[in-house]
């Protein structure tokens, strides 16, 4: 019997009310009975992890041993990516009544009925019909291969997102492996290594104090160790660390994994501009999506209502990755939207900070709500125009309609350090360098940094004047132009 | 000589440096010299108005008397709308060196040169060439017929906009007549009629205290009197008064005038929904545009930077009207944008208040910035979707890209009475009716009113569930649903 273990997961239809007895009666009348395929198809690759629960089917014989590097114990995929699993008929056993198996059972029945595979309500007619729908494109195929999640990063936002991913991995145990590993840059916390503190307390007291992490989130001091065997990699690091971490991971990770970047900012190097999703994709050779939104970490961690946006690549793989990350992050209070636009989502997260500097200037000038809203509107359109001009496949609605676009711009221009420092810049007359020392403990302010990078990029192309708001922010921040001139060229 | 007096006015090219002497030398060498065409073409229709300056050319003979009701003293328009003016050659006189004439002169020369009418830099070759470009489509034709402006309304926003219109009428005296009339609902102010106070003080101490109005803004206690002879009518009244004022004006106004509505809100009557621009257009039979934006009146009155949006009708007339209103309102600190979408601009101004109620709920609930931004984003898209579903010709970018759309939503959801009352609604548990009495001196809150009207409209069509945020606002405001359920169905 040939069964696929695609990672493509889609929302399945509501279960129909067919009892397990009915199904088993139908199955046993014609066929070898049902087995716990989900468990059998997911050989554990990380039994040494500290908080993993015991396997539910330890006595099941292993499938054919093969050489697939991605899925040890599974034969290589005929499509090069998704392994097909060949089980000897002796593995087909009676339903062991596990939850996962129940779900799989019911889904199969439900899908059969929905897709009119000639399935009578009272039972399954043919096992061959069952086999037919478990093709590599079947929406339920993911039930046969669980996703292993690694969070690369553990700051304020990293810890908040690890909490969500950990909780969803527990809830959707037929999709995700139990453990969600988290790379933590090792440092001392009250005389103990931070990883140890996190794993003992189930909390990151340094960067997200007061918020409990689920017990399946496990901290590792090594990025490579955290990423070991992962099929879903979540990059949530300050952007200055991304290249060094990618270097550590190079050659160490599953080449068929999917990655997602939650990194704000852009990289301007040698006159070229890059988003970090592309940097990750090129460095590690894995497909990389992006996630951004109106997401103040502490509010997300407290389960206050919030939305976010996943920007994914085009094609089947891009959509498949997005749907998996959707499942990993979506909750009733953290609503995930999806759009086929990695660049747009990434650029929103970087360029909004430049607009927030301008918004902060208006606050410092005491110009009022009309002016601030106008600056935000003009800024949003410059963000969109810049992205459309210099990146392929950018969608305008990413900017004007998603949480990554307009909503994040709103939170950033009303809260946030960029707005705050820009207000202080106007009111105190101090430079951003001084304010970074005084207000941010020497940390770099992203908005003013990005304004400078964008300016250099545009200057090299003779296009500075095409973006008058970006230009005004740069001129005020770095060229001593009076902040009152903010709108004189708009 | 045939000269047109179209009202179509466009930005004219920068003046070239040709002296008046040079032009007059050139003219006198071949032709009857130049006349003050602008003055001659604009017979005064309101000499009795109090603050009008003396005409600059009182001794000019009148042009041919004809029957045009719109432009007394001018022949009827061959296009039915824009009169062509026929002057006997004896009217062609030497340039009287008035500013208006200078400008007309220089513009003619400049346009000649730009449009390659074979004009040498040192002078004009033929008067016939001059005649040729003063066709009905010439951008400078407006110089020959001035616009008479009437502001119908004098509240906080009406007074602020009258100040701008008055100033621009003074600056662009070749386009607009000197006086800008303003209809003021007569009431007592410290023992004097408010109109008298306004005309003496040049300030509206009741609704816009502390802000000087230019002296050419003249208050009238009668709407019909204020609108007399007006070619541009600006409606800026609370929406409950619009029908009664239109009744007063019916048959009294110039049928070829253009109107613009700055009225917030929609009218829901007999299960139908209307914008007030349509109500004005249908009642008075004049083409009506709409203006809306992130425009807190006091900030605009203080010349703090602000943007606004004119939504105009399609076609030549729609564009012409928009361009005239653009000239009337645009200043360096009050930037006017234009879009061909009267309904979208009007609906933004009404529906944003419903979203502001929802935003106020999140404030009351203490849900934080993420939630508020999410509600605003979802609200903006419901506003857009509602408008697209029930109105023709609505443009999505009106909502997502203009000052009337996203920018006004931002100011309304952060400042404004709707947000404030909704916050108090959650925090105090008092009804909107009680809060209107306590916080608004019994004035109706637009957001909760519009939420109710929209709900009734959608209910009649079985579409309440298609707009979950609007539904949630209604349910919380009027059906006792807990505010915590605001996002449960989003």
């Amino acid at each position: 019997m040939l069964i696929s273990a695609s990672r493509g997961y889609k929302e399945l239809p509501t279960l129909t009310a067919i009892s397990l007895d009915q199904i088993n009666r139908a199955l046993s009348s014609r066929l070898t009975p049902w087995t716990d395929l989900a468990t059998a198809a997911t050989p554990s690759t990380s039994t040494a992890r500290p908080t993993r629960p015991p396997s539910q089917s330890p006595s099941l014989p292993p499938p054919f041993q093969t050489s697939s590097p991605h899925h040890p114990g599974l034969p290589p995929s005929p499509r090069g990516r998704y392994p097909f699993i060949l089980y000897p008929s002796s593995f087909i056993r009676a339903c062991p009544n596990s939850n996962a198996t129940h779900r799989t059972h019911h889904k199969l029945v439900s899908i059969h009925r929905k897709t009119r595979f000639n399935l009578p309500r009272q039972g399954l007619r043919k096992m061959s019909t069952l086999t037919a729908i478990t093709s590599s494109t079947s929406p339920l195929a993911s039930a046969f291969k669980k996703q292993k999640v690694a969070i690369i990063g553990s700051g304020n936002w990293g810890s908040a997102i690890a909490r969500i991913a950990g909780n969803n991995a527990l809830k959707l145990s037929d999709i995700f492996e139990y453990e969600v590993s988290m790379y933590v840059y090792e440092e001392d916390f009250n005389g103990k290594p931070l990883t140890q503190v996190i794993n003992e307390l189930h909390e990151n007291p340094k960067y997200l104090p007061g918020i409990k992490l689920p017990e399946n989130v496990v901290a590792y001091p090594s990025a490579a160790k955290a990423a070991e065997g992962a099929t879903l990699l979540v990059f949530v690091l300050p952007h200055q660390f991304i290249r060094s971490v990618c270097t550590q991971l190079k050659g160490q990770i599953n080449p068929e994994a999917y990655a997602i970047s939650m990194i704000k900012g852009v990289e301007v190097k040698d006159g070229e501009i890059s988003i970090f999703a592309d940097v990750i994709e090129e460095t590690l050779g894995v497909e990389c999506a992006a996630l951004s939104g109106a997401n103040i970490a502490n509010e997300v961690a407290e389960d206050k209502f919030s939305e976010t946006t996943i920007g994914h690549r085009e094609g089947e793989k891009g959509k498949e990755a997005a749907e998996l990350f959707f499942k990993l992050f979506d909750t009733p209070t953290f609503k995930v939207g999806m759009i086929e636009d990695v660049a747009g989502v990434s650029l929103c997260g970087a360029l909004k900070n430049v607009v927030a500097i301008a918004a902060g200037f208006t606050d410092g000038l005491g110009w009022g709500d009309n002016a601030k809203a106008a600056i935000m509107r003009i800024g949003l359109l410059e963000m969109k125009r810049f992205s459309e001009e210099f990146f392929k496949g950018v969608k305008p609605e990413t900017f004007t309609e998603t949480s990554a676009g307009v909503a994040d711009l709103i939170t950033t221009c009303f809260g946030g350090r960029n707005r705050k420092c820009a207000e202080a810049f106007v009111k105190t007359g101090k430079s951003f360098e001084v304010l970074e020392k005084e207000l941010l403990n020497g940390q770099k302010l992203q908005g003013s940094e990005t304004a400078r990078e964008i300016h250099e990029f545009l200057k090299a192309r003779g296009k500075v004047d095409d973006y008058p708001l970006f230009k005004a922010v740069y001129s005020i921040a770095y060229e001593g132009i009076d902040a009152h001139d903010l709108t004189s060229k708009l």
Side-chain angles (χ1 to χ4, degrees), chain A:
Chain A
M1 191 174 103
L2 200 65
I3 295 170
S4 142
S6 160
R7 305 194 310 180
Y9 186 90
K10 291 192 182 79
E11 197 64 64
L12 288 156
T14 315
L15 304 186
T16 51
I18 301 178
S19 80
L20 190 64
D21 273 356
Q22 285 173 327
I23 296 168
N24 276 338
R25 262 203 311 277
L27 284 169
S28 60
S29 67
R30 296 278 307 263
L31 295 154
T32 320
W34 188 245
T35 190
D36 186 347
L37 290 166
T39 312
T42 316
S44 171
T45 55
S46 52
T47 47
R49 296 268 159 71
T51 49
R52 181 175 304 285
S55 163
Q56 285 172 346
S57 309
S59 61
L60 270 178
F64 291 152
Q65 296 302 313
T66 68
S67 59
S68 165
H70 187 185
H71 303 280
L74 304 184
S77 162
R79 288 202 297 149
R81 184 172 186 97
Y82 311 115
F84 280 66
I85 310 160
L86 192 65
Y87 285 89
S89 63
S90 63
F91 291 2
I92 310 295
R93 293 170 192 252
C95 172
N97 202 17
S98 80
N99 278 341
T101 313
H102 269 208
R103 265 200 296 277
T104 310
H105 239 154
H106 283 275
K107 282 171 188 170
L108 284 170
V109 174
S110 171
I111 290 166
H112 261 267
R113 303 197 70 237
K114 293 253 175 190
T115 50
R116 302 181 185 282
F117 265 88
N118 198 21
L119 180 75
R121 190 178 165 79
Q122 296 308 315
L124 304 175
R125 188 170 285 174
K126 283 185 183 178
M127 194 59 186
S128 60
T129 318
L130 248 185
T131 313
I133 65 155
T134 55
S135 72
S136 65
T137 54
S138 159
L140 81 137
S142 63
F144 303 110
K145 173 64 190 130
K146 289 190 188 179
Q147 302 297 320
K148 170 74 184 74
V149 179
I151 312 286
I152 309 299
S154 55
N156 189 229
W157 183 218
S159 302
I161 210 75
R163 175 178 166 276
I164 288 180
N167 283 331
N168 274 5
L170 291 178
K171 271 185 213 144
L172 304 172
S173 59
D174 50 344
I175 305 172
F176 300 108
E177 282 198 21
Y178 176 80
E179 182 187 299
V180 169
S181 56
M182 176 166 78
Y183 164 54
V184 177
Y185 179 79
E186 195 67 288
E187 52 188 310
D188 178 83
F189 186 80
N190 293 343
K192 276 189 182 178
L194 185 56
T195 49
Q196 188 187 332
V197 174
I198 291 171
N199 287 336
E200 283 171 6
L201 282 184
H202 301 295
E203 181 183 329
N204 185 344
K206 176 115 190 184
Y207 295 107
L208 191 63
I211 301 289
K212 279 285 159 202
L213 302 176
E215 296 199 1
N216 59 330
V217 172
V218 181
Y220 291 86
S222 147
K225 192 80 187 161
E228 193 181 294
T231 54
L232 299 177
L233 289 157
V234 180
F235 287 88
V236 54
L237 296 158
H239 65 86
Q240 59 268 35
F241 302 130
I242 192 69
R243 286 230 172 240
S244 69
V245 167
C246 280
T247 307
Q248 291 170 46
L249 292 179
K250 203 168 179 178
Q252 305 287 311
I253 60 159
N254 187 333
E256 295 189 354
Y258 288 135
I260 194 163
S261 161
M262 300 191 183
I263 299 151
K264 308 287 184 200
V266 284
E267 189 182 65
V268 179
K269 218 170 101 176
D270 308 327
E272 292 301 321
I273 191 167
S274 310
I275 56 167
F276 286 102
D278 288 347
V279 172
I280 292 165
E281 195 160 295
E282 284 155 24
T283 317
L284 299 180
V286 293
E287 179 144 315
C288 190
L291 182 146
S292 189
N295 301 144
I296 295 168
N298 284 56
E299 293 182 9
V300 173
E302 289 166 24
D303 281 333
K304 289 178 172 175
F305 185 78
S306 182
E307 293 184 312
T308 199
T309 310
I310 289 175
H312 63 83
R313 305 283 178 186
E314 58 184 6
E316 272 300 304
K317 276 170 60 178
K319 215 175 156 198
E320 185 179 62
E323 284 169 354
L324 282 168
F325 285 119
F326 175 91
K327 288 283 165 195
L328 184 61
F329 297 128
D330 188 66
T331 78
T333 54
F334 188 65
K335 298 265 197 182
V336 178
M338 295 193 283
I339 190 162
E340 188 188 299
D341 183 1
V342 178
V345 167
S346 301
L347 289 160
C348 281
L351 300 175
K352 61 159 192 176
N353 292 324
V354 181
V355 183
I357 297 280
F361 288 158
T362 67
D363 286 343
L365 292 161
W367 277 3
D369 291 344
N370 294 351
K372 190 163 171 174
I375 289 296
M376 289 166 69
R377 187 197 76 83
I378 293 165
L380 183 62
L381 296 191
E382 278 196 23
M383 286 165 60
K384 175 165 86 76
R385 202 151 39 80
F386 179 90
S387 305
E388 286 174 330
E389 181 166 358
F390 299 110
F391 288 82
K392 272 186 194 162
V394 164
K395 293 202 164 119
E397 59 267 34
T398 303
F399 296 81
T400 56
E401 297 190 6
T402 74
S403 178
V406 60
D408 195 18
L409 183 71
I410 291 169
T411 51
T412 310
C413 288
F414 281 90
R417 49 169 64 181
N418 290 288
R419 188 215 64 77
K420 187 179 156 192
C421 285
E423 183 180 10
F425 177 93
V426 174
K427 284 185 169 168
T428 65
K430 293 175 182 172
S431 73
F432 278 111
E433 214 172 2
V434 171
L435 291 168
E436 282 164 357
K437 278 181 199 136
E438 289 184 6
L439 300 176
L440 306 177
N441 284 323
Q443 274 184 56
K444 280 279 171 198
L445 191 65
Q446 286 193 325
S448 49
E449 272 294 286
T450 306
R452 193 181 46 70
E453 289 171 340
I454 295 294
H455 180 81
E456 283 167 17
F457 175 81
L458 289 171
K459 200 176 165 191
R461 282 156 182 77
K463 299 214 167 192
V464 167
D465 290 333
D466 291 0
Y467 298 90
L469 185 68
F470 292 168
K471 182 186 181 184
V473 169
Y474 177 82
S475 299
I476 294 165
Y478 297 106
E479 293 179 329
I481 301 296
D482 188 336
H484 286 89
D485 284 343
L486 179 63
T487 54
S488 62
K489 300 280 167 52
L490 300 182

